[in-house]
Amino acid sequence: MSTLYRPKSKDALTILLGSVLGYAFFHLGSHPTKSPLKRRLPKKQIRNYSYFPNIHINREDRYYHLHHWMVLSSLYLPVLLTRLRKKNIFKYKLTHGFLLGSILQGLTYNDRFRVVYD
């Protein structure tokens, strides 16, 4: 019979530190109008697809915006599932925390579930 994974206190503190760092990084770097960091980043795109610093897909009368929490959740889900199966391919606790904090920060925006914009 398998037992649930119980992190050690050091692991929990490392995950918490990573979460705080991830939250702070995206809080400072992702606000559309207030972020001094975001204004300095170069804009990268290929035709109608912008991939840096945001992911936008432009169409004739609207555009689609993939929020950073969506992208990071899609990256984190396989990591979480492999962790639950006890195949420790992603063993860095700080990175786990960073991804979790980044996802949580993205969920604080009012438009967090809005993808289609006019």
Side-chain angles (χ1 to χ4, degrees), residues 64-112:
Y64 302 91
H65 174 74
L66 296 178
H67 299 275
H68 70 271
W69 73 266
M70 293 175 178
V71 175
L72 294 172
S73 294
S74 68
L75 294 174
Y76 187 68
L77 186 62
V79 170
L80 181 64
L81 292 176
T82 57
R83 181 66 194 150
L84 291 176
R85 290 189 326 191
K86 298 207 179 226
K87 291 187 178 181
N88 196 5
I89 63 168
F90 202 83
K91 59 184 176 182
Y92 301 107
K93 307 293 187 250
L94 191 66
T95 307
H96 274 280
F98 188 86
L99 288 171
L100 287 174
S102 303
I103 292 166
L104 290 175
Q105 189 279 333
L107 291 171
T108 62
Y109 288 118
N110 290 334
D111 67 342
R112 63 190 164 263

Side-chain angles (χ1 to χ4, degrees), residues 26 29 38-39 41-44 50-55 65-66 68:
F26 277 94
K38 187 175 177 181
R39 284 181 279 188
L41 294 173
K43 295 185 187 325
K44 302 287 184 181
S50 172
Y51 59 90
F52 190 79
N54 295 325
I55 299 175
H65 174 74
L66 296 178
H68 70 271

